[in-house]
Amino acid sequence: AVVLPHPHVLPIDAVGAARPSRHDPVVAVHGKGLRANIRPWPILDALLDGPLPRHRLRLDLDDGAMAVAGSVDRVDRYRHAGVDVRVHGRFSDTELIGYLTEVDVAVLPYVFGTHSGWVEAFHDAGTTVLTPDCGFFTEQHGTLEFGYGPDGLDETGLLRAVTTALTALRPTRGEDLDRRDQRRRQREDVRNAMVDLYATAVGVSSAA
């Protein structure tokens, strides 16, 4: 099994890996455990009702989400509407890598927050990710953005962003070696900076 060095950090060989082409691209929303800052329902409702290019809609939830009031009824309704609903335990490292390549467009359902490890993981896997404007998610990798926050969802903006993402999807793509090399250099720079920082701290401590 693949062991990730940190949640949502892909092994360097998985960064920029080749991606398949699907006749029906998968638009995915991951609700995790339905924490206070994660609200997937308005997004799913908008995606189900809105005019979009051909796609399949997928919803993932952690097991614990089913204990949240109203979740069972909503999940049943989405399944009957044709959504590919998957309720499961937290992904293993290998399962996470598989998930990242099984979806083509991912919509993050945060209503507050700052940054996200999911943005980094989707970027590394070459998955298009749409982020809400309530934090600094877009600044991480210049993602497509839609309006979402405590005051509600900009449905028109969401549908526009998803349409743009689906329209821009490329056919089967080989390895993105530039993406992999960029991430490798970034990790080396961070590693070297941390070594220098610790060396400085140890030196100051020894002098004291």
Side-chain angles (χ1 to χ4, degrees), residues 42 46 133 145-149 151-161:
D133 62 358
E145 190 176 64
F146 61 97
Y148 199 27
D151 295 331
L153 171 67
D154 174 7
E155 295 185 8
T156 300
L158 170 65
L159 296 176
R160 184 186 307 116

Side-chain angles (χ1 to χ4, degrees), residues 1-12 14 91-97 187:
V2 176
V3 178
L4 303 188
H6 186 274
H8 303 139
V9 175
L10 301 190
I12 196 64
F91 287 136
S92 68
D93 295 340
T94 301
E95 289 169 343
L96 174 60
I97 294 173
R187 292 181 183 178

Side-chain angles (χ1 to χ4, degrees), residues 26-65:
V26 176
V27 177
V29 180
H30 200 312
K32 300 185 71 175
L34 296 179
R35 299 194 309 260
N37 68 329
I38 296 180
R39 300 179 192 171
W41 313 136
I43 289 175
L44 286 161
D45 291 342
L47 295 178
L48 279 172
D49 294 339
L52 291 170
R54 187 183 183 97
H55 70 285
R56 287 182 290 132
L57 185 56
R58 171 172 169 174
L59 167 66
D60 281 78
L61 293 169
D62 291 347
D63 289 330

Side-chain angles (χ1 to χ4, degrees), residues 111-175:
V111 293
F112 62 87
T114 56
H115 301 77
S116 172
W118 281 107
V119 174
E120 300 298 326
F122 283 126
H123 170 79
D124 284 354
T127 305
T128 302
V129 57
L130 278 56
T131 56
D133 62 358
C134 58
F136 299 94
F137 307 108
T138 300
E139 283 81 351
Q140 289 181 248
H141 286 290
T143 56
L144 289 168
E145 190 176 64
F146 61 97
Y148 199 27
D151 295 331
L153 171 67
D154 174 7
E155 295 185 8
T156 300
L158 170 65
L159 296 176
R160 184 186 307 116
V162 174
T163 298
T164 298
L166 288 171
T167 303
L169 287 176
R170 291 183 287 169
T172 303
R173 191 181 70 212
E175 289 185 297

